[in-house]
Every structure is written in C-alpha cells, then in structure tokens.
Amino acid sequence: MSAPVFLVDAVPADDDYTLDGPEGHHAADVQRLQPGETLVLSDGAGGTAAARVTRTERGSVRVQIFERRTYPAPDPKLTVVQALPKGDRGERAVQMLTEIGVDEVIPWAASRSIVQWKGPRGDKARAKWTATAREASKQARRPHLAHVAELHTTKQLVARLRNASQVLVLHEEAELPLSKVTLPAAGEIAIVIGPEGSISPDELNALEEFGEPIRLGDTVLRTSTAGPAALAVLQARLGRW
C-alpha cells in the first residue's frame, strides 16, 4: 500500500521535521502512524518529500525525510465546468472528478440550476467543494491538488473558456461522440456539464463559439455522473490510464 499523504505549506528544507497542526493530529491520533512507517509530505503544487516516522506524540509526528521530488503540472490541463446540482451531488461529483484526475473544477450558475449560491450560503457551499477536492486529492495520492474556482455566471464562463485550447460541451442531442474528437497535445481541455434540466438554448448558443456539442453515448447521465465519465474517457485517450 502506498504511503499516506499529508499537506504542508512548503516542502521542508531540513531533513528532520515535525508535522503538527491538523495534519499532524491526523497522522498521530487518527491514523496512529508508528516509528518506522513512511508518509509523504506534499505542498499540493507538485513538491513532495518521502519521510520515515521517527517519533510520535499526541497531535504530532517527528519524521526524517529521505527523498524529495518535484512533479510537473499535467499537460494538457483538464478542467470540468460543473453546473450546480441538487443536494450533495456536487460534492460527490467533485470527489469523483478529483480521484479521476481533474485539475480544476469551475462551478457554474446555469439558468436551469435549481440550487443557487448566494451570500454566506454560497461561500459555505464552495468551501465544501474545496474541502472535498483537498481530501480526495490526498486520498488519491496526488502531488497536485485539484482547484475549485469561484462561481461563474454564463457570461463569465464564456470569457474564461476563451483561454482553453479546447472546449467540449456535453449535450444529449449532440451527434459527435467524445471518442471521435481530436484532442490537443497541450494547453487546457475544458468539459462543460449542464444541470439536471440540461443546458438552455440560449446557453448552448453562447457556447457554440467553441464548436459543436459532444455526446457521451445513447443514454442520459446525471449531471454528477457525466463529468467523471467524460474525464475517464479523456484520461484513457491521453494515454494516462
């Protein structure tokens, strides 16, 4: 089994290091790591340090670092635009997307989204998505944390997607399957996932500047399932799986 990952602000420069705070508490009191066991310290931005536990105390572990590595950011970058779904489906989608390998999730206030993020409620909802991405990144042993962007309106989304190398808008009435799309070798690939009631005609028109819509298959997937399914296809087609 691979070593557990714990997040730090920066990879320690010294070989002797004490992991404390919430991460130290989790290592010492929740996972109950013992001297001789290994763990990985990660800054969430590609820097990691493999370390061996030398001493444990309540709320902290002392470690000896024996290897440091730096992982480049994935290229192409994989971004998923997720329309706000009902209930906890958004958090489930973020968890699956992170485990599969998404680099960024953009919450989208689509016109047919039943849920709305406004004021403190919106801040709390985004914080949940961010915490979910953080924990799922650790669970998946990822050197780069998945990022959850600020909530985007359709106008903001269209402007943001102009920076992408390719935009794939998933729609159940599209003709071209995702498996037939030519993918760029570098840059950013963005997948747009609509809400439960689908992308509205006006939104579809606004997104058509990025090319014709794409379909996954003959069946209609839930909004929380479509993103992970599409991302898995891309990971396979990019040769990462």
Side-chain angles (χ1 to χ4, degrees):
M1 183 175 179
S2 57
V5 173
F6 298 92
L7 295 175
V8 292
D9 292 335
V11 174
D14 296 332
D15 289 345
D16 289 313
Y17 179 76
T18 298
L19 179 67
D20 52 17
E23 295 290 87
H25 163 70
H26 191 76
D29 305 328
V30 179
Q31 293 204 9
R32 298 180 181 275
L33 296 181
Q34 299 298 314
E37 293 187 274
T38 58
L39 57 79
V40 174
L41 303 174
S42 172
D43 62 9
T48 67
R52 186 169 289 106
V53 177
T54 57
R55 188 174 74 248
T56 62
E57 297 178 359
R58 184 166 184 175
S60 68
V61 295
R62 187 77 175 176
V63 301
Q64 178 76 23
I65 295 173
F66 60 85
E67 181 186 42
R68 290 176 177 83
R69 296 186 64 180
T70 300
Y71 296 84
D75 190 23
K77 173 184 177 181
L78 298 180
T79 297
V80 172
V81 177
Q82 178 64 62
L84 302 182
K86 297 183 294 185
D88 64 351
R89 292 176 184 168
E91 292 163 52
R92 295 209 312 264
V94 170
Q95 178 181 349
M96 289 188 289
L97 289 169
T98 301
E99 291 177 0
I100 293 169
V102 76
D103 297 301
E104 183 174 13
V105 179
I106 301 177
W108 175 30
S111 63
R112 292 177 176 173
S113 289
I114 297 174
V115 172
Q116 297 186 17
W117 285 6
K118 292 184 178 180
R121 178 182 178 182
D123 294 338
K124 183 178 180 180
R126 179 174 177 266
K128 286 184 177 180
W129 282 31
T130 299
T132 298
R134 175 187 172 94
E135 292 306 311
S137 294
K138 290 171 57 179
Q139 180 67 34
R141 311 314 199 242
R142 290 181 50 163
H144 291 267
L145 291 181
H147 173 65
V148 176
E150 297 285 344
L151 178 67
H152 281 53
T153 64
T154 299
K155 182 178 180 180
Q156 292 170 328
L157 179 62
V158 171
R160 163 65 177 81
L161 292 178
R162 292 194 181 107
N163 297 322
S165 302
Q166 184 177 52
V167 178
L168 305 171
V169 181
L170 299 189
H171 195 271
E172 66 269 20
E173 296 180 1
E175 296 294 332
L176 181 63
L178 179 57
S179 60
K180 302 298 183 182
V181 176
T182 300
L183 302 176
E188 179 185 25
I189 303 173
I191 310 168
V192 180
I193 309 297
E196 280 91 352
S198 189
I199 300 174
S200 73
D202 288 344
E203 291 166 338
L204 200 57
N205 288 336
L207 293 167
E208 278 184 346
E209 72 170 83
F210 303 113
E212 64 177 300
I214 306 299
R215 67 175 174 83
L216 278 177
D218 295 331
T219 59
V220 177
L221 302 181
R222 288 185 181 274
T223 182
S224 56
T225 308
L231 190 65
V233 173
L234 291 186
Q235 291 283 48
R237 293 201 56 205
L238 290 170
R240 298 176 181 176
W241 282 21

